[in-house]
């Protein structure tokens, strides 16, 4: 796993239980956030960018500008918004 993804996973790990999610490694350059057998989000290190796949859309983040802690904050915000939609 790339250093970037390792740092990202370490930051996300304490927050995932709140949303019922687990980290599923998928090779050297990606992992998924899963709930049961459902893949909620996939994060892939594509050398200069990190690609985040969520709800059949792909988002790209430049690793130079988006540090792991910034991407983790974005992911947590998305999960929080999704949680609010489900509970409404």
């Amino acid at each position: 796993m790339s250093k970037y993804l390792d740092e990202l996973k370490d930051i996300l790990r304490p927050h995932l239980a709140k949303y019922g999610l687990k980290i599923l490694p998928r090779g050297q350059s990606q992992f998924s956030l899963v709930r049961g057998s459902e893949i909620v989000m996939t994060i892939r290190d594509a050398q200069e960018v990190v690609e985040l796949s969520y709800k059949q859309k792909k988002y790209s983040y430049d690793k130079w500008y988006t540090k792991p802690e910034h991407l983790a904050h974005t992911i947590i915000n998305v999960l929080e918004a999704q949680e609010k939609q489900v509970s409404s």
Side-chain angles (χ1 to χ4, degrees), residues 5-71:
L5 291 183
D6 283 338
E7 289 180 35
L8 181 61
K9 287 191 318 187
D10 289 343
I11 297 166
L12 288 174
R13 198 168 273 121
H15 302 277
L16 296 179
K18 176 180 178 182
Y19 306 104
L21 297 171
K22 294 183 181 179
I23 294 173
L24 175 66
R26 301 185 69 197
Q28 292 295 318
S29 63
Q30 70 179 358
F31 67 89
S32 294
L33 301 180
V34 297
R35 183 179 295 120
S37 61
E38 173 196 8
I39 295 174
V40 175
M41 187 179 294
T42 299
I43 298 100
R44 184 172 86 89
D45 188 335
Q47 298 185 5
E48 297 299 318
V49 298
V50 174
E51 295 176 348
L52 189 147
S53 298
Y54 177 69
K55 292 192 174 184
Q56 299 160 348
K57 292 187 180 178
K58 191 176 287 187
Y59 305 91
S60 293
Y61 297 91
D62 188 317
K63 287 168 43 177
W64 178 259
Y65 297 106
T66 310
K67 303 301 179 205
E69 56 271 16
H70 302 138
L71 185 55

